[in-house]
Amino acid sequence: MIRRIIFFFFLMTCTCFAFAEEKPNIILILTDDQGFDDYGFRQSPLETPIMDRLMQDGVQFTRFYTAAACAPTRSALMTGRNFMRTGTSAVGFGAESPHINEYFLSEAMQDAGYVTGMVGKWNLGLSDVELPSRRGFNNAWPVIRNDVRSYGRYEHYNPSFFYNGNYSGREDGWQVEICTDKAIDFIKKHKQKPFFLYIPYASPHEPWLCPSVLQKKYMQKGIGEHYAMFMGMMEQLDKQVGRILQTIKDLEISKNTIVLFLGDNGPTPTTRILEKQKGGFYALTSDYYNMSDQEWISRNPSGLRSKKATGWENAIRNRLTIYCPEKFEAKIIDDMTLVMDIYPTLVAFAKGKRPEGKPELNGMDLRPLINGESDWPVRTYFTGETGRPEQKYDDDGWNYRFTDQTLPLDNRETCFVMDDWVIVNEKGKWGLFDLENDIGQKKNLKKENPKKFNIMKSAYYNAFEEIKSDPHAWSDPIQEVGVNAYLELEYTFRMKGRNSVTWANTFFHEVGAIQELKVRVLEEGVYSVRLRALGVPEKTKVRFKTSNNILDNILIKNQKYHNLGKVKLSAGHQIFSIKLVETSDEKAISKMELFSLELEKI
């Protein structure tokens, strides 16, 4: 009898211990260009009942700061650090990806015992080493095209996907719905395990597109066709979020599943116009639509200043909700919080630990605010738009792309927020604003309060200098060569002669021009090399050079892919270069687009 009693208490203790140690599932939903007021409860007649419920029945943070554009916010989200510290310095231009030694949130969740999944818009680098399956996700379906990986993320209909590092094809239907299907499949498959699922939807990023029935619904309410398209897109997105919530309810795991929902930056009033093609595809036209002043006022009832990709409040202020009614009481938190705070909060929910030697976090655990503790500290935040990385010409004759001059402050829009005050540097024009009393930043207090202005300006520069001192800040991109490798040419870290780098590719502008990449070869061996280049003039010769190989090739006109030959590579770090040796048409060479190098071990 005594043994039975002892066994019973032992069993109860183990059961209680297991229950106490049960880790919550975590679903992190990120939307693209959904602004502070892009919710039905803020913007009539928009209908987003699911998102409204997430905000109103969750722990809603109403003074939540992101970066001003998509890739910087994603970098901060995945690293828990100010994006400028991580190596991310722009959207596109080879500057999206955090340094390969950054320790991602997904890696932290794996180390905490979670199975990790990702589906949607990645936007954190597209060379092989930067794909989500190489950065901590067990199962990853990023929306990426096979021909030019930088394209495809905004193909809202019939999108292309990769799966765990390999192209898996184009799928029929709406991207937002297909992504939700994959997310639901992941949840069902891993419902018995603690899982971390990251769903970065590409909606409602322009070009705005939705089912015609939803567009017509809002047009019948008196909304113009383009604004109606945006509203229909938002309603379609809302229904997909609802499917996620319904799934966890049906699987009876909602009590132990925490859902986070946020937008990545402020809204934009502009969309490119699409034209429907055969087979249901949509093609971009050269036309744009800008919302009317009245439409913009309706969409921005809080009166936040400006739009995304600026240094103003409407670029960086958003909403975050942490939703699990069984765990957290609904409340609104107005304290200043940052996108970097999500990282340590989720790792804390997961009972994880950050290994020693990793870069220092800039985010703070939000649990004290969630639990109602009142000693939240004064926060500060340096951020802003980034634009094309500026080059630095050095005495050695090279133009370096990622240096302390990459972000020229007086040519950008940046800001420094300190509690309820913000100082804005709009391309050399300064403003000081009291956000507590002037959320719309209408009254510049620079002259009225010069003492505060000088304090904030000094703090602005001090914060920037501190960011620049980080070892990963504005660091050169490093790509990897394994058995197979896809290398993005816009990652060129330095150039000689006249060259240029665009959002997704590079150009030569004179004979003798050189572009160089930093790579790390993982396996010694012989590799075949293929270049993707479009618009090649006749008799155009390029030279591909590694640490111990030189290949000269005449590229073939009207061909997209060009076999450059074979190279023997040693393991370790080295530099790859491409040089324009000669061409028959120097005027036409500026239109030749260089995209990627592909290497395959033989």
Side-chain angles (χ1 to χ4, degrees), residues 68-339:
C70 46
T73 289
R74 285 161 172 74
S75 178
L77 182 64
M78 284 293 113
T79 65
R81 289 160 35 83
N82 188 302
F83 75 89
M84 297 181 195
R85 292 180 178 272
T86 71
T88 299
S89 55
V91 178
F93 301 102
E96 293 185 353
S97 176
H99 193 281
I100 60 175
N101 290 337
E102 289 285 337
Y103 181 64
F104 270 33
L105 172 60
S106 43
E107 296 174 286
M109 298 301 285
Q110 279 184 333
D111 290 343
Y114 279 66
V115 60
T116 55
M118 174 270 167
V119 56
K121 173 186 166 182
W122 180 235
N123 210 182
L124 285 178
L126 295 170
S127 71
D128 284 346
V129 69
E130 298 160 334
L131 294 176
S133 53
R134 293 282 296 275
R135 307 214 72 160
F137 287 99
N138 299 112
N139 295 275
W141 296 266
V143 182
I144 300 175
R145 266 175 42 179
N146 192 38
D147 50 359
V148 182
R149 292 184 182 180
S150 298
Y151 297 166
R153 61 188 71 169
Y154 304 126
E155 291 180 335
H156 295 297
Y157 197 77
N158 292 347
S160 298
F161 287 88
F162 269 53
Y163 175 64
N164 284 4
N166 297 303
Y167 183 62
S168 61
R170 188 178 290 276
E171 301 191 27
D172 297 335
W174 294 97
Q175 181 189 144
V176 68
E177 296 178 1
I178 297 170
C179 286
T180 305
D181 292 341
K182 295 181 185 299
I184 290 173
D185 288 343
F186 176 88
I187 294 170
K188 289 180 177 179
K189 183 177 180 180
H190 300 290
K191 64 181 180 179
Q192 301 297 335
K193 307 173 183 178
F195 65 79
F196 169 60
L197 175 59
Y198 173 45
I199 314 174
Y201 287 115
S203 296
H205 194 290
E206 63 87 26
W208 298 334
L209 185 66
C210 72
S212 58
V213 64
L214 291 177
Q215 182 189 28
K216 290 177 181 177
K217 170 182 175 177
Y218 287 101
M219 290 179 66
Q220 290 171 355
K221 295 183 177 183
I223 305 297
E225 62 173 318
H226 298 291
Y227 191 12
M229 184 75 83
F230 168 79
M231 287 191 168
M233 196 177 195
M234 285 297 304
E235 183 171 331
Q236 183 186 28
L237 171 62
D238 187 74
K239 290 178 179 177
Q240 305 317 304
V241 177
R243 291 177 60 204
I244 299 293
L245 296 185
Q246 188 62 47
T247 296
I248 63 175
K249 180 180 179 181
D250 292 344
L251 295 175
E252 298 182 346
I253 59 173
S254 58
K255 292 182 179 180
N256 196 43
T257 300
I258 299 172
V259 178
L260 292 87
F261 184 93
L262 67 151
D264 66 347
N265 49 246
T268 176
T270 303
T271 183
R272 292 168 289 179
I273 304 300
L274 294 168
E275 183 178 73
K276 193 170 185 178
Q277 306 289 300
K278 291 182 179 179
F281 289 89
Y282 291 84
L284 289 170
T285 69
S286 59
D287 295 330
Y288 288 78
Y289 176 78
N290 288 292
M291 298 179 73
S292 69
D293 291 344
Q294 186 55 52
E295 287 175 333
W296 188 241
I297 290 171
S298 297
R299 188 179 168 190
N300 183 29
S302 295
L304 300 183
R305 183 166 175 173
S306 198
K307 58 184 179 180
K308 68 172 280 191
T310 69
W312 298 97
E313 196 76 354
N314 207 18
I316 62 174
R317 185 163 180 162
N318 218 291
R319 298 177 193 268
L320 164 70
T321 185
I322 299 179
Y323 176 87
C324 184
E326 291 81 3
K327 293 181 180 292
F328 313 120
E329 292 184 4
K331 65 176 67 175
I332 292 177
I333 295 175
D334 296 323
D335 297 78
M336 179 179 170
T337 52
L338 307 173
V339 65

Side-chain angles (χ1 to χ4, degrees), residues 340-403:
M340 296 89 83
D341 298 338
I342 290 175
Y343 185 119
T345 305
L346 297 192
V347 173
F349 283 150
K351 301 178 177 64
K353 294 182 179 180
R354 189 172 179 82
E356 293 184 4
K358 299 300 180 183
E360 183 179 356
L361 292 177
N362 302 129
M364 294 179 58
D365 185 350
L366 294 170
R367 289 180 304 166
L369 285 177
I370 296 171
N371 295 332
E373 299 176 22
S374 59
D375 57 346
W376 192 247
V378 172
R379 306 295 298 279
T380 62
Y381 185 37
F382 184 100
T383 193
E385 63 94 2
T386 50
R388 182 195 303 262
E390 293 291 332
Q391 301 176 30
K392 177 184 178 182
Y393 183 77
D394 213 337
D395 293 339
D396 60 6
W398 290 89
N399 284 294
Y400 290 84
R401 299 188 60 230
F402 304 103
T403 72

Side-chain angles (χ1 to χ4, degrees), residues 308-585:
K308 68 172 280 191
T310 69
W312 298 97
E313 196 76 354
N314 207 18
I316 62 174
R317 185 163 180 162
N318 218 291
R319 298 177 193 268
L320 164 70
T321 185
I322 299 179
Y323 176 87
C324 184
E326 291 81 3
K327 293 181 180 292
F328 313 120
E329 292 184 4
K331 65 176 67 175
I332 292 177
I333 295 175
D334 296 323
D335 297 78
M336 179 179 170
T337 52
L338 307 173
V339 65
M340 296 89 83
D341 298 338
I342 290 175
Y343 185 119
T345 305
L346 297 192
V347 173
F349 283 150
K351 301 178 177 64
K353 294 182 179 180
R354 189 172 179 82
E356 293 184 4
K358 299 300 180 183
E360 183 179 356
L361 292 177
N362 302 129
M364 294 179 58
D365 185 350
L366 294 170
R367 289 180 304 166
L369 285 177
I370 296 171
N371 295 332
E373 299 176 22
S374 59
D375 57 346
W376 192 247
V378 172
R379 306 295 298 279
T380 62
Y381 185 37
F382 184 100
T383 193
E385 63 94 2
T386 50
R388 182 195 303 262
E390 293 291 332
Q391 301 176 30
K392 177 184 178 182
Y393 183 77
D394 213 337
D395 293 339
D396 60 6
W398 290 89
N399 284 294
Y400 290 84
R401 299 188 60 230
F402 304 103
T403 72
D404 58 357
Q405 297 183 23
T406 295
L407 179 63
L409 297 180
D410 287 346
N411 294 331
R412 297 283 190 261
E413 294 187 30
T414 51
C415 65
F416 176 75
V417 187
M418 181 185 289
D419 201 22
D420 290 326
W421 289 87
V422 62
I423 187 169
V424 179
N425 180 0
E426 186 180 34
K427 300 178 181 178
K429 297 180 179 179
W430 293 86
L432 175 70
F433 302 91
D434 175 4
L435 295 173
E436 183 178 15
N437 299 301
D438 180 20
I439 192 174
Q441 296 172 290
K442 296 179 179 180
K443 187 175 182 181
N444 187 349
L445 301 175
K446 179 179 70 172
K447 295 181 178 179
E448 185 176 316
N449 195 340
K451 183 178 179 179
K452 186 67 174 181
F453 174 75
N454 289 330
I455 291 172
M456 291 291 290
K457 190 173 183 180
S458 178
Y460 166 99
Y461 282 114
N462 288 339
F464 185 62
E465 290 300 317
E466 185 180 351
I467 288 171
K468 288 199 300 182
S469 69
D470 194 291
H472 292 174
W474 294 286
S475 53
D476 298 327
I478 300 173
Q479 302 181 86
E480 288 186 344
V481 176
V483 175
N484 296 288
Y486 175 94
L487 308 180
E488 293 272 358
L489 285 177
E490 75 266 25
Y491 289 20
T492 178
F493 80 100
R494 68 177 184 178
M495 304 182 291
K496 182 174 286 187
R498 291 193 296 116
N499 300 266
S500 64
V501 180
T502 69
W503 178 72
N505 51 13
T506 65
F507 294 85
F508 292 124
H509 297 295
E510 66 179 1
V511 171
I514 305 173
Q515 302 172 9
E516 294 199 337
L517 305 168
K518 284 188 175 181
V519 299
R520 181 167 65 188
V521 179
L522 302 179
E523 296 187 28
E524 178 181 345
V526 177
Y527 293 79
S528 63
V529 185
R530 185 170 77 157
L531 169 70
R532 179 176 168 87
L534 280 63
V536 179
E538 291 183 355
K539 299 179 181 179
T540 296
K541 180 189 284 189
V542 298
R543 174 171 297 158
F544 175 65
K545 185 178 179 181
T546 72
S547 60
N548 55 358
N549 301 269
I550 296 178
L551 300 176
D552 283 351
N553 281 271
I554 301 291
L555 304 184
I556 301 174
K557 185 178 181 180
N558 298 325
Q559 189 165 302
K560 295 180 179 179
Y561 292 97
H562 309 267
N563 293 319
L564 301 186
K566 301 175 184 178
V567 293
K568 186 175 182 180
L569 300 177
S570 301
H573 291 267
Q574 58 180 288
I575 292 174
F576 287 178
S577 73
I578 298 182
K579 179 179 180 179
L580 178 62
V581 178
E582 62 183 52
T583 184
S584 63
D585 191 341

